[in-house]
Amino acid sequence: MTTMKLVFISLLLLSTAPYASLALRTQLHSLSESSNSKNYLTTQELWFNQTLDHFSPFDHHKFPQRYYEFLDYFRISDGPIFLEICGESSCNGIVNDYISVLAKKFGAAVVALEHRYYGRSLPFKSTTTENLRFLSSKQALFDLAVFRQYYQESLNLKLNRTSVENPWFVFGGSYAGALSAWFRLKFPHLTCGSLASSAVVLAIHNFTEFDQQIGESAGAECKATLQETTQLVEERLASNKQAVKTLFDAAELEIDGDFLYFLADAAVIAFQYGNPDIVCSTLVKAKNNGDDLVEAYAKYVKEYYLGTFGSSVQTYNQKYLKDTSLNKHTGDRLWWFQVCTEVAYFQVAPANDSIRSSKVDARYHLDLCKNVFGEGIYPEVDATNIYYGGTNISGSKIVFANGSQDPWRHASKQTSSPDMPSFLISCHNCGHCTDIRGCPQTPLSLEGNARNCSSPEAVEKVRHQITEKMDLWLSECRAGSWSSIFSKSSTNSNRSLTTKELWFNQTLDHYSPFDHHKFQQRYYEFLDYFRVPDGPIFLKICGESSCDGIANDYIGVLAKKFGAAVVSLEHRYYGKSSPFKSTTTENLRYLSSKQALFDLAVFRQYYQESLNLKLNRTGVENPWFVFGVSYSGALSAWFRLKFPHLTCGSLASSAVVLAVYNYTEFDQQIGESAGAECKAALQETTQLVEERLASNKKAVKTLFDAAELEIDGDFLYFLADAAATAFQYGNPDKLCSPLVQAKKDGEDLVEAYAKYVKEDYVGSFGVSVQTYDQRHLKDTTLNENTGDRLWWFQVCTEVAYFQVAPANDSIRSSQVDTRYHLDLCKKVFGEGIYPEVDKTNIYYGGTNIAGSKIVFTNGSQDPWRHASKQISSPDMPSFVMSCHNCGHGTDMRGCPQSPFNIEGNARNCGSPDAVEKMFSSSSMKCIARMIVILSSLEPKCVANGSYDQTCFIYSPNVTFSLNATANYNEEQEELKLLTSSTSPDVNLLYCRSVSGL
C-alpha cells in the first residue's frame, strides 16, 4: 500500500501470496516458482469453482479460484483453521511470516484464498471495464464465505468425518486487513474472530491525513528537506520537464501528475514499510553538504524504490493502466478499478504544510479514473462506509493492529473496545503490518522477526495481546459448540398511523462497482410521538407486498411509550417502488434480500440527515431500532447482522431466517396445531379431493370456485394454503370446528371444506384464487397483484421455503412436492431459475445467525417458526408463545389477525396471558433490553435523558447517562439496571411490567 497506487500492495505483507505491494510483487515473483523456498510455507496450487456473481438472483456462472493449504502444524482432532486473506495482488503461496508462528502455537491448519481477478483467479480473458463489473470487496467477502464452507467440507472428507466444524480465525493486512474485519462483521457465524492488521476500513475521498502522517513520522528536519525537494522538482518541471523526468528514469510518465505521484510514493514507502532512515539520512546529509537535493532524491528513488524495493515506473503510467490484456502487471489496473469504484483513499496534498505536490489533488485522481476506465467511474465512498461502517465498524472479536508511523493507520480503527481491541506499535521503524511482518519489511523477514525493530518489545507486546485475544475467542468458539407468507395491506386510515406517501432516490444496484442508476422508493414517517431531540427512531420494515402506510399495530404502542419516530420503507419492486415498467425475469435481477437490506441502510442514513435538516441541526445520530414480521422479520434480524453500526437492536417477529428447500416441518406443525381429530378430518378431506380430481376434476375445482386453476398442483397448493392460514393467523376454530362437526354428522367433508375456503379464506381473509394460477404468475405487467409474481421470484431464487408434503402422515397432497415447486419456478421465470438455499444460509447463517441484540419471537402454532430462531441466548433471546390461537406475528398483531386488530389487541387470543407475558416478563426483558440498548450499549446510541416513571422508578426529572448492565428477575418481572452514573439520585433503576404494555 504505498500510496494509492497499490501502495496497498503492502498486502503482500500480510498473508498468503506475496501480498506485498504491487511493487513487492515484482520482487518476490521468482520466489513463488519454488515450493521449497524458505519464504513460503507452501506454493502448491489448489483450485475450486467459485460463483461469479453472488448478488444475482439467477446467474449461476462459475470461475476457477486458486487457494493454498498448509497442514503441517494442524492438530487434527480440534485444531483451528487460519484463513489468510489474499489482497490486491497475485497470491503465489502462504508466506512464512508471523502467522506461521501462531499456527504452530495453536496447532492450526492454514489456508489462503486468492482474491478474485488477481493472479490466476481470472473470470475473464481481458480486463475491460465491463468485465470488471464483478470486482469488488463485497463479492470478495462472499467468495471467502463460500470457500470457507467448501474447505471445511473437503477437509472433513479428507479426514473421513462428517459435520465437524473446526474453529476458524481470519487474518489480513492492509486491504486484506479490511477484508478480515469486514468478513467477521458480515459473516460472524463463519469465524471465531479476526486479526485486521493495518486494516483500511474507512473509505476516504480526500485522504490528507496520509501526508500529514508522513511529515510527523519524518520529523522536522527530514520533512523540511522533503518539502524543499518537491518544490525544486516542480520548478524544474516548469522549465525542463524532460530533463527532470529522465533524471529519475521516468521519462515515460508524460502526465506530470503521474510523475509527481510516483515521486510522492517513493518517499512514502520508506515510512510505510519501516525504513525511514533510508530516505531521511540521504536527503538530510545532501542538504547539510549543500548537494543538489533533486539529484540526491533521484539516487534514492532509483537505487532503493526502483531497485531494492522493486517498484516499477510503469505502474504510474496511465497509458499502461489502460491496457486490458492479461499480463504479470494486470494487478495495477485491477486495484485502481477498486480504488476508483469503492474506496478512493485519494492521497492528496493537504492545503498547508504538504510534502507531496499540490498537483496531486482530487481532480488528478478523478481524471485518472475517467481516463483509465471511462465516463461514470468514480468511488461512491459514502455507500462503502454505509455498508461497512468505516471506523465505526460494529463487529465483534476483531483485533486492529497499526504501526505508529504508518500513514494508513488513519483509515483504520484506532480506538479500542472490549470486543474490538486496537493496538498501536510505537517504534521508529514500525509501519504497515509490522505485527505480522516484523522490521524492516524489505527484504522479507522470515516468521515476522521483530529483532530489527527499534523497539522489539513494543512489537512483542502487541503480539502477546493478539495471542491472548485469539486464545480467548478460540476457546469460546469451542465452548459454544460449533457444530405462504403473503401479507395484504389496508389503506383504511383508522388502521394506519399514516398513509402519507414520501419518496427518495434509491440506488438500483448496490453491488455494481460502476452502475449509478436510481429509482424512486416510497416511504412513510409518523412523528406524533417523537420526543425531540433524543427520541429513538423505529424503522418498521415493509416486506413482500405493497406498503401503503404505517399500520396502527403494537409498534404504535411502543412508539408512544418510548417517544419514538416511526418510519417505514417500501421494499424495492413491491407496491409503487418499482424500478421498471414490467417484471420480466431480466428486469427482476435486482430483486433480492441483499439489495433490500442495502436499501434500508441507505434510507436510514438519508432519513437521519433529512430529520437533522428538519430540526436545524447537524451530525446528530438518534438511536435506531428495527422491526419486522415474517420475511420482513428476517430482514430485521439480517439488517442488525449486516449493518450493526446503523441500529441499536432488532425485533424479529416470526422471522423466517432459515432458507429451506424441502420444508416438511411446515405441514407437520399444521398437524400438531390442529390436534388429532381435526388433523384426521383434514387428511381425509385431502384424500377425497384427490379421488375426485382423478374422476371429475372440473367438478371439484368448480365446487371451490377455482376452475381457473388448470394445473392440479396449483389447485392442491391453494387448498393446502387455505388450511395452513387458519393456524398461521390465529383462526384455527374457523376451520376445525365446522370440519370436525361435518365428519361427526356424516356430511360431505369436501363440501364442508369448500364452504370454509370460499367464505373464510377467499371471503373474510381476502385471498384471490388467481394468486395460485401459474398463468397469472407469468404476467409481467404492473398491476395490483404483481406482488404474487415478485414474491415467487424471491422464493425461486433465494429462500425456497418449499412447503412440500412429508413422506408420512401428511395433511397436504403428496403431489405438492419439490418437483412441483421447481417446475413452477422454471415455467414462470424460465430455465436456470432455482433457489440456491445453501448460498443464502451461508450469507446469513440460517438459524445459526450470529448477530447480537436481536429478539426473536414466535407463536407456538405458527408453521413458519421452524424457519425461525427458537433457541435462546443472552445476545439473541428467542420466545415462543403458547396459546390456542397464537400464530404468525401474534406479538405484533394480536389475535386473530383477520379481521385486522388495531394496536395488536391480545384479548382475543386463546391465552392472552401468554401474549401479555411477552409484553410483561419476557417482553419487559425485551423492552428493558431495548432501553439498555438505546441508552448505552452502542457507542452511537448513547442517549442522555430521563424516561417515564411508569417504566423507571427514580427521583423525578433526573437526567442520566447510562452505562449499564442488566440483571433480570423472572419471578418478580423486574429488570435491574446497574449504572455507573455519578449522580447520587440514580444508582439503581428498575423496570417493571406496566398495564398496557
Side-chain angles (χ1 to χ4, degrees):
M1 240 179 119
T2 58
T3 53
M4 173 117 221
K5 291 265 173 190
L6 239 188
V7 172
F8 255 123
I9 303 170
S10 82
L11 274 209
L12 199 174
L13 295 187
L14 202 185
S15 135
T16 253
Y19 52 89
S21 60
L22 282 187
L24 285 184
R25 199 156 22 95
T26 304
Q27 177 196 0
L28 296 181
H29 177 71
S30 61
L31 298 178
S32 67
E33 305 304 322
S34 171
S35 60
N36 297 320
S37 169
K38 63 182 180 179
N39 293 287
Y40 289 91
L41 298 177
T42 181
T43 58
Q44 182 179 351
E45 296 177 350
L46 299 168
W47 298 84
F48 88 113
N49 285 326
Q50 181 63 268
T51 300
L52 178 60
D53 185 4
H54 296 290
F55 300 102
S56 168
F58 48 71
D59 185 345
H60 309 296
H61 285 90
K62 307 283 185 180
F63 72 96
Q65 194 165 19
R66 182 166 60 161
Y67 72 96
Y68 302 87
E69 70 173 356
F70 181 75
L71 302 177
D72 289 17
Y73 305 144
F74 186 43
R75 187 176 62 243
I76 290 179
S77 59
D78 65 345
I81 300 175
F82 287 178
L83 173 55
E84 292 193 18
I85 302 176
C86 289
E88 74 285 10
S89 63
S90 178
C91 188
N92 300 317
I94 298 177
V95 176
N96 184 17
D97 57 17
Y98 188 68
I99 295 176
S100 65
V101 177
L102 293 174
K104 191 180 295 185
K105 174 180 175 59
F106 286 101
V110 186
V111 292
L113 181 69
E114 186 168 62
H115 195 297
R116 57 169 53 210
Y117 282 84
Y118 293 94
R120 298 186 182 178
S121 299
L122 297 160
F124 300 100
K125 294 180 179 179
S126 71
T127 60
T128 62
T129 300
E130 175 62 20
N131 282 351
L132 297 182
R133 64 192 181 278
F134 305 119
L135 173 56
S136 71
S137 60
K138 303 173 190 71
Q139 297 280 4
L141 288 175
F142 214 148
D143 286 348
L144 292 166
V146 171
F147 170 72
R148 185 263 190 225
Q149 297 302 84
Y150 161 82
Y151 186 79
Q152 182 68 71
E153 292 170 8
S154 66
L155 184 65
N156 287 347
L157 187 64
K158 185 183 296 186
L159 299 177
N160 194 28
R161 63 189 191 182
T162 56
S163 302
V164 174
E165 283 290 319
N166 294 85
W168 284 68
F169 206 94
V170 291
F171 300 81
S174 196
Y175 165 58
L179 291 176
S180 178
W182 293 338
F183 186 73
R184 170 66 192 170
L185 170 71
K186 298 294 186 181
F187 297 91
H189 55 290
L190 297 182
T191 174
C192 303
S194 153
L195 173 60
S197 176
S198 299
V200 286
V201 293
L202 178 67
I204 311 177
H205 209 267
N206 292 318
F207 195 7
T208 55
E209 297 86 350
F210 191 93
D211 247 30
Q212 290 165 354
Q213 180 64 57
I214 298 300
E216 180 183 321
S217 297
E221 191 174 27
C222 182
K223 175 182 177 182
T225 309
L226 283 167
Q227 289 175 322
E228 185 177 347
T229 304
T230 298
Q231 183 181 347
L232 290 169
V233 168
E234 287 182 323
E235 291 172 359
R236 296 186 192 184
L237 270 177
S239 60
N240 191 344
K241 65 176 62 182
Q242 186 66 27
V244 72
K245 290 179 180 179
T246 300
L247 178 63
F248 284 87
D249 289 349
E252 68 184 86
L253 301 179
E254 296 177 3
I255 299 172
D256 289 353
D258 294 351
F259 175 67
L260 292 167
Y261 199 172
F262 161 63
L263 296 193
D265 263 10
V268 165
I269 208 75
F271 300 95
Q272 183 171 320
Y273 291 121
N275 293 284
D277 296 334
I278 288 183
V279 64
C280 285
S281 297
T282 300
L283 286 182
V284 170
K285 182 179 178 181
K287 170 78 171 168
N288 291 338
N289 293 339
D291 296 337
D292 187 309
L293 282 178
V294 177
E295 290 186 1
Y297 190 53
K299 185 174 186 293
Y300 156 78
V301 169
K302 290 184 286 188
E303 291 183 359
Y304 180 75
Y305 189 48
L306 298 180
T308 304
F309 195 78
S311 189
S312 168
V313 174
Q314 191 180 43
T315 300
Y316 296 85
N317 191 337
Q318 289 185 41
K319 291 190 297 184
Y320 153 69
L321 293 176
K322 289 181 178 181
D323 184 0
T324 62
S325 64
L326 298 180
N327 55 65
K328 66 180 181 179
H329 296 304
T330 296
D332 298 329
R333 175 176 169 83
L334 299 175
W335 177 244
W336 267 112
F337 179 78
Q338 290 192 256
V339 163
C340 288
T341 54
E342 281 193 288
V343 290
Y345 306 134
F346 290 164
Q347 294 126 58
V348 300
N352 300 302
D353 206 29
S354 175
I355 289 176
R356 74 181 59 217
S357 169
S358 60
K359 294 180 180 179
V360 184
D361 57 7
R363 176 49 50 200
Y364 162 76
H365 290 86
L366 290 172
D367 285 347
L368 183 151
C369 293
K370 184 170 67 172
N371 187 32
V372 172
F373 300 106
E375 291 285 346
I377 300 297
Y378 55 86
E380 295 207 81
V381 166
D382 289 343
T384 300
N385 289 330
I386 286 173
Y387 191 69
Y388 296 120
T391 52
N392 291 320
I393 181 173
S394 294
S396 63
K397 299 183 178 178
I398 306 169
V399 172
F400 292 87
N402 293 284
S404 57
Q405 292 190 47
D406 181 14
W408 289 104
R409 73 181 175 92
H410 299 282
S412 185
K413 184 173 176 66
Q414 302 178 79
T415 305
S416 197
S417 67
D419 273 345
M420 290 192 293
S422 182
F423 308 117
L424 275 181
I425 309 170
S426 297
C427 60
H428 180 59
N429 54 349
C430 286
H432 206 58
C433 303
T434 295
D435 54 313
I436 300 300
R437 302 307 290 265
C439 304
Q441 294 175 16
T442 53
L444 183 71
S445 184
L446 294 182
E447 295 193 344
N449 198 320
R451 286 176 298 184
N452 292 322
C453 297
S454 63
S455 301
E457 67 280 358
V459 182
E460 292 302 335
K461 180 182 179 181
V462 166
R463 288 177 171 177
H464 177 70
Q465 292 169 316
I466 290 170
T467 303
E468 280 187 333
K469 294 297 181 184
M470 290 179 61
D471 199 13
L472 173 64
W473 295 341
L474 286 170
S475 64
E476 288 177 347
C477 218
R478 293 189 184 96
S481 70
W482 278 57
S483 11
S484 125
I485 306 178
F486 301 99
S487 58
K488 302 295 178 182
S489 299
S490 170
T491 57
N492 190 337
S493 61
N494 68 348
R495 296 183 176 185
S496 301
L497 297 176
T498 181
T499 57
K500 183 180 178 181
E501 296 177 350
L502 299 167
W503 298 86
F504 87 115
N505 286 327
Q506 181 64 269
T507 299
L508 179 59
D509 184 3
H510 296 290
Y511 298 97
S512 168
F514 49 71
D515 186 344
H516 308 297
H517 285 89
K518 306 283 185 180
F519 71 98
Q520 286 275 293
Q521 194 164 20
R522 182 167 60 159
Y523 72 97
Y524 303 87
E525 70 173 355
F526 181 75
L527 300 178
D528 289 16
Y529 304 144
F530 184 46
R531 186 183 64 242
V532 178
D534 64 341
I537 300 174
F538 288 176
L539 173 55
K540 188 175 182 181
I541 302 177
C542 288
E544 70 287 8
S545 63
S546 179
C547 187
D548 300 319
I550 300 177
N552 185 16
D553 58 17
Y554 190 70
I555 294 175
V557 178
L558 293 176
K560 187 182 295 185
K561 183 68 190 171
F562 288 103
V566 186
V567 292
S568 190
L569 180 70
E570 186 167 62
H571 194 298
R572 56 170 51 209
Y573 283 84
Y574 292 93
K576 296 182 180 180
S577 298
S578 182
F580 300 99
K581 294 181 179 179
S582 71
T583 61
T584 62
T585 300
E586 175 62 19
N587 281 351
L588 298 182
R589 63 191 181 277
Y590 306 117
L591 173 57
S592 71
S593 62
K594 304 175 191 69
Q595 296 280 6
L597 289 174
F598 213 147
D599 285 348
L600 292 166
V602 171
F603 170 72
R604 186 265 191 223
Q605 297 302 84
Y606 161 82
Y607 186 79
Q608 181 68 71
E609 292 170 6
S610 66
L611 184 65
N612 286 348
L613 186 64
K614 185 181 295 185
L615 299 177
N616 194 29
R617 63 190 190 180
T618 58
V620 174
E621 284 289 318
N622 292 83
W624 283 69
F625 205 94
V626 291
F627 298 81
V629 180
S630 195
Y631 164 58
S632 67
L635 291 176
S636 178
W638 293 338
F639 185 73
R640 171 63 195 170
L641 170 72
K642 298 296 185 181
F643 296 91
H645 55 290
L646 297 183
T647 173
C648 302
S650 154
L651 174 61
S653 174
S654 301
V656 283
V657 293
L658 178 68
V660 191
Y661 210 81
N662 292 317
Y663 193 10
T664 55
E665 295 87 352
F666 189 94
D667 246 35
Q668 290 165 355
Q669 180 64 56
I670 297 297
E672 180 183 321
S673 297
E677 196 173 24
C678 182
K679 176 182 177 182
L682 283 166
Q683 289 175 320
E684 185 176 346
T685 303
T686 297
Q687 182 180 347
L688 290 170
V689 167
E690 288 181 322
E691 291 171 359
R692 296 186 191 184
L693 272 177
S695 59
N696 190 344
K697 64 178 61 182
K698 187 163 185 60
V700 70
K701 289 180 181 179
T702 300
L703 178 64
F704 285 85
D705 288 347
E708 66 190 88
L709 300 180
E710 296 180 358
I711 299 173
D712 290 352
D714 293 352
F715 175 67
L716 292 167
Y717 198 174
F718 163 60
L719 297 193
D721 260 11
T725 297
F727 302 97
Q728 181 172 325
Y729 290 120
N731 293 284
D733 296 335
K734 283 194 173 183
L735 168 63
C736 287
S737 295
L739 204 61
V740 169
Q741 190 62 47
K743 181 168 175 60
K744 288 179 179 178
D745 294 344
E747 296 175 359
D748 188 310
L749 282 177
V750 177
E751 290 186 1
Y753 189 55
K755 185 174 185 293
Y756 157 77
V757 169
K758 290 184 287 187
E759 292 182 0
D760 286 282
Y761 188 50
V762 176
S764 298
F765 197 76
V767 167
S768 169
V769 174
Q770 188 182 45
T771 299
Y772 296 85
D773 189 344
Q774 290 184 39
R775 292 177 302 176
H776 157 65
L777 295 177
K778 290 180 181 180
D779 184 0
T780 62
T781 61
L782 296 181
N783 55 65
E784 62 180 3
N785 294 315
T786 296
D788 300 331
R789 174 175 170 84
L790 299 175
W791 177 243
W792 266 111
F793 180 78
Q794 292 192 255
V795 164
C796 289
T797 54
E798 281 194 285
V799 290
Y801 304 137
F802 290 166
Q803 294 131 60
V804 301
N808 301 300
D809 206 29
S810 174
I811 290 177
R812 76 180 56 215
S813 169
S814 61
Q815 294 179 41
V816 184
D817 58 7
T818 307
R819 176 48 51 198
Y820 163 77
H821 289 85
L822 289 175
D823 284 347
L824 182 152
C825 292
K826 184 170 69 173
K827 288 176 183 176
V828 172
F829 301 107
E831 290 287 345
I833 301 297
Y834 56 86
E836 293 203 88
V837 167
D838 290 342
K839 181 176 169 183
T840 301
N841 289 329
I842 286 174
Y843 191 69
Y844 296 119
T847 51
N848 291 320
I849 181 174
S852 63
K853 299 175 186 172
I854 306 169
V855 173
F856 291 88
T857 57
N858 292 283
S860 56
Q861 293 191 48
D862 182 14
W864 288 106
R865 72 182 176 92
H866 301 282
S868 184
K869 181 176 174 66
Q870 302 177 80
I871 299 173
S872 198
S873 66
D875 271 348
M876 290 192 291
S878 183
F879 308 115
V880 175
M881 291 176 286
S882 298
C883 63
H884 180 58
N885 56 347
C886 286
H888 206 58
T890 296
D891 55 314
M892 289 291 107
R893 299 167 176 167
C895 302
Q897 293 177 19
S898 179
F900 184 81
N901 257 287
I902 293 178
E903 295 193 349
N905 198 319
R907 286 175 297 184
N908 294 320
C909 296
S911 300
D913 54 313
V915 183
E916 292 298 342
K917 185 179 180 182
M918 296 284 289
F919 304 119
S920 55
S921 68
S922 295
S923 157
M924 282 313 301
K925 186 189 298 180
C926 157
I927 293 172
R929 171 181 293 274
M930 192 189 328
I931 295 170
V932 174
I933 290 168
L934 294 178
S935 302
S936 68
L937 296 185
E938 285 287 332
K940 293 182 78 172
C941 298
V942 174
N944 294 318
S946 54
Y947 287 88
D948 193 307
Q949 283 183 278
T950 57
C951 189
F952 285 96
I953 302 172
Y954 64 99
S955 298
N957 303 318
V958 171
T959 299
F960 61 90
S961 177
L962 279 180
N963 181 11
T965 55
N967 292 328
Y968 182 70
N969 186 314
E970 184 81 37
E971 291 183 2
Q972 297 179 22
E973 300 183 359
E974 179 179 272
L975 184 110
K976 182 186 293 182
L977 301 178
L978 307 176
T979 82
S980 61
S981 171
T982 57
S983 169
D985 297 315
V986 186
N987 289 317
L988 295 178
L989 303 178
Y990 297 86
C991 192
R992 288 185 178 276
S993 174
V994 179
S995 177
L997 277 179

